[in-house]
Amino acid sequence: MQHFDVIVVGAGISGIGAAYHLQQNCPGRTYAILEGRPDIGGTWDLFRYPGVRSDSDMHTLGYSFKPWNAAKSIADGPSILEYLRETVAEFGIGPHIHFGHLVERAEWSTDDARWTVTGTRADTGESVGFTCNYLFMCSGYYSYKGGYEADLPGLENFAGTVVHPQAWPDDLDYAGKRVVVIGSGATAVTLVPAMADDAAHVTMLQRSPTYVVSRPDQDAIANGLRKVLPDGIAYDITRLKNTTLQQVLYKRMRTQPEKSKAQLLKMVRKELGEDYDVDTHFTPRYNPWDQRMCLVPNSDLFTAISSGRASVVTDLIDTFTPTGIRLQSGDELDADIIVTATGLQLVTLGEMDFVVDGQPVDFSKTWTYKGFAYSDVPNLASSFGYINASWTLRADLICEYVCRLLNHMDETGTVQCTPRLRASDADMPQRDWIENFTSGYMQRVMHKFPKQGDREPWINPQNYRRDKKMFKKSPVADGVMRFARARVVERAEPVAAAAD
Ligand SMILES: Cc1cc2nc3c(=O)[nH]c(=O)nc-3n(C[C@H](O)[C@H](O)[C@H](O)COP(=O)(O)OP(=O)(O)OC[C@H]3O[C@@H](n4cnc5c(N)ncnc54)[C@H](O)[C@@H]3O)c2cc1C
């Protein structure tokens, strides 16, 4: 088996970022990226539906180390993929990526201070195996096997075409067709205006509304700064502006929900006119940021609705008929194509099996350490971004911290680092991995995720400012992350009895 100091699983935004940080900050370490698919990009390669784009700005979804220089800050999928390709080429990451390597299992041995990582090659079906000292999971947060299939009663009756956005057929011709998009999330609000240009009509059928906010797809300040300052400096200033603004707005919406709600709905009324039924179709039953908000660039969704090319129906499905959908109100929607934009299936850690010293790991029984590692699981990190800001902001912080950890191990001659609960942590209340977020796709799987406690480092705060302090300023040798030398087997502390 080939051995590497670090194995990264996944060559999406996170895995490519991890490679950059390892090269820059741990130049003496060998690493490989194992990627299950035939290409880089993860999300930005997989999703091919019309209009696929970011819904956060590229100055913060882009890496800290590589300026986003395009004019549009809300970017389409192909431009994001191109940015990732450029990153891979610029930093010589390509030769480290092993494509078509789907990893299925990782087994840690304390005696050897190594992970044995095994899987299957997509092209030959052959088994593959590697060993590494440190395993860095950059496998995203949803299943690549398929999207979430909601329970849609009688779907089999429908005689037309049914498509899930995660498996968009290259040859789907929707010109002149009547399309119904089921859903109200980011994917639905992207698809509706994108398809409305060519379709006969597009209907967004939603059970309940989501907050929708329009923003220009270009950042005038960022583009202005780039004209007078070097790209790197302009980018840093724009990132600071955007992260500060995001945090201020997020805090205001969480602390003043009623006022924020009124402002958001006023903006929608302005877009759609006083005659439009904003109460029914754009007024959610929850407060802003209880669920992720939907951003639409340049009011594209509202323009499509106002032009009559698209419409929103808020109703429940009774059943599907050969020609469309019968609704519980008694109305019928005729359709040639139905798009089930019903969301993602969230998973933990690349849907892999993990074993530590012969014991299977159940991540739901672990505590998160700073939202990137797991109690009693040695030499393992995973990248998980923000639900209320750009993913990469956090992915970058985690990478920097992992490099600090690895360098500390080099300096101290240690080979194993394991977060262990202190005796004083034994009474921590168990909180969800992500708190106060009511979206169905999170709620469905929250029980499978590790818990967080009520004190550092056992938290996953989903707060960029707090994370920055936690990842950049706190010492890696914090008394909770335990470091061990080769072949020194450190067992879990019996929490209730041990001294702190
Ligand atoms: C349509 C869409 C739009 C989005 N827009 C935004 C946005 O605007 N802003 C934002 O912050 N976030 C957005 N997100 C979230 C988005 O997924 C992240 O921003 C980011 O792309 C995640 O990068 P990642 O590398 O961590 O994971 P992914 O992009 O999911 O990549 C994971 C990679 O790991 C590989 N992999 C997984 N398991 C294994 C395994 N067992 N073995 C080998 N390889 C494996 C996959 O094949 C994939 O290549 C969006 C998500 C979707 C679906």
Side-chain angles (χ1 to χ4, degrees), residues 207-220:
R207 215 164 29 177
S208 57
T210 306
Y211 288 104
V212 182
V213 187
S214 173
R215 287 273 175 277
D217 65 357
Q218 298 205 11
D219 182 332

Side-chain angles (χ1 to χ4, degrees), residues 261-297:
K261 189 171 178 171
Q263 281 168 350
L264 291 168
L265 298 182
K266 191 173 161 195
M267 290 195 286
V268 178
R269 283 204 178 87
K270 202 168 155 209
E271 296 275 1
L272 292 171
E274 285 305 318
D275 293 340
Y276 190 86
D277 188 357
V278 170
D279 287 350
T280 302
H281 303 307
F282 284 96
T283 308
R285 298 181 205 127
Y286 53 84
N287 285 330
W289 279 116
D290 280 353
Q291 301 190 11
R292 200 170 163 109
M293 296 216 288
C294 286
L295 180 142
V296 295

Side-chain angles (χ1 to χ4, degrees), residues 9-16 34-37 39-44 47 49 52-57 61 80 101-104 137-142 144 186-187 292 344 349-352 383 386 389-392 395:
V9 177
I13 286 186
S14 298
I16 293 167
L34 304 183
E35 168 53 57
R37 294 167 49 77
D39 205 346
I40 64 157
T43 298
W44 304 104
F47 281 86
Y49 58 75
V52 60
R53 58 163 171 82
S54 69
D55 60 0
S56 61
D57 69 280
L61 188 57
I80 300 173
H101 280 59
L102 182 70
V103 185
E104 286 150 344
M137 296 299 300
C138 292
S139 47
Y141 62 108
Y142 60 84
Y144 274 74
T187 302
R292 200 170 163 109
L344 305 165
L349 297 164
E351 299 181 79
M352 282 162 50
S383 176
Y386 292 112
S390 284
W391 183 272
T392 319

Side-chain angles (χ1 to χ4, degrees), residues 64-360:
S64 57
F65 56 86
K66 181 168 168 63
W68 174 261
N69 290 331
K72 284 191 180 180
S73 72
I74 302 299
D76 57 51
S79 309
I80 300 173
L81 193 53
E82 194 44 45
Y83 170 82
L84 295 176
R85 288 200 199 293
E86 261 180 46
T87 310
V88 167
E90 191 175 330
F91 298 104
I93 293 166
H96 297 267
I97 308 175
H98 300 239
F99 289 109
H101 280 59
L102 182 70
V103 185
E104 286 150 344
R105 190 176 170 87
E107 283 189 66
W108 171 260
S109 155
T110 296
D111 288 341
D112 303 325
R114 282 185 173 196
W115 287 101
T116 301
V117 174
T118 49
T120 309
R121 269 188 77 143
D123 50 355
T124 57
E126 205 185 320
S127 297
V128 285
F130 298 84
T131 57
C132 64
N133 301 108
Y134 198 90
L135 183 57
F136 194 173
M137 296 299 300
C138 292
S139 47
Y141 62 108
Y142 60 84
S143 177
Y144 274 74
K145 293 178 186 155
Y148 175 67
E149 299 288 351
D151 181 25
L152 298 172
L155 183 59
E156 65 283 1
N157 299 333
F158 181 59
T161 306
V162 179
V163 184
H164 194 289
Q166 193 165 327
W168 198 267
D170 290 341
D171 57 351
L172 183 73
D173 179 11
Y174 54 87
K177 304 270 172 60
R178 295 159 306 172
V179 180
V180 174
V181 178
I182 301 175
S184 60
T187 302
V189 303
T190 302
L191 271 167
V192 170
M195 297 182 80
D197 282 342
D198 296 319
H201 186 82
V202 185
T203 307
M204 183 167 107
L205 171 60
Q206 60 179 11
R207 215 164 29 177
S208 57
T210 306
Y211 288 104
V212 182
V213 187
S214 173
R215 287 273 175 277
D217 65 357
Q218 298 205 11
D219 182 332
I221 296 177
N223 291 345
L225 285 173
R226 256 203 345 271
K227 285 186 190 144
V228 293
L229 291 172
D231 287 347
I233 297 175
Y235 185 59
D236 288 348
I237 297 173
T238 306
R239 276 169 73 85
L240 184 64
K241 165 180 81 67
N242 290 4
T243 50
T244 309
L245 211 65
Q246 271 163 13
Q247 286 172 89
V248 168
L249 284 176
Y250 179 76
K251 192 166 172 201
R252 190 188 302 159
M253 290 201 195
R254 295 310 268 173
T255 51
Q256 302 175 18
E258 285 308 320
K259 202 168 155 192
S260 308
K261 189 171 178 171
Q263 281 168 350
L264 291 168
L265 298 182
K266 191 173 161 195
M267 290 195 286
V268 178
R269 283 204 178 87
K270 202 168 155 209
E271 296 275 1
L272 292 171
E274 285 305 318
D275 293 340
Y276 190 86
D277 188 357
V278 170
D279 287 350
T280 302
H281 303 307
F282 284 96
T283 308
R285 298 181 205 127
Y286 53 84
N287 285 330
W289 279 116
D290 280 353
Q291 301 190 11
R292 200 170 163 109
M293 296 216 288
C294 286
L295 180 142
V296 295
N298 307 330
S299 306
D300 63 358
L301 175 71
F302 300 127
T303 307
I305 294 170
S306 299
S307 70
R309 290 178 286 120
S311 51
V312 180
V313 170
T314 306
D315 207 330
L316 296 174
I317 295 170
D318 177 23
T319 190
F320 290 78
T321 65
T323 55
I325 305 175
R326 187 179 311 130
L327 300 168
Q328 290 194 4
S329 62
D331 290 347
E332 300 228 356
L333 292 176
D334 290 332
D336 304 303
I337 299 173
I338 289 175
V339 182
T340 54
T342 47
L344 305 165
Q345 256 192 102
L346 265 56
V347 296
T348 52
L349 297 164
E351 299 181 79
M352 282 162 50
D353 293 327
F354 283 78
V355 175
V356 170
D357 293 327
Q359 296 299 314

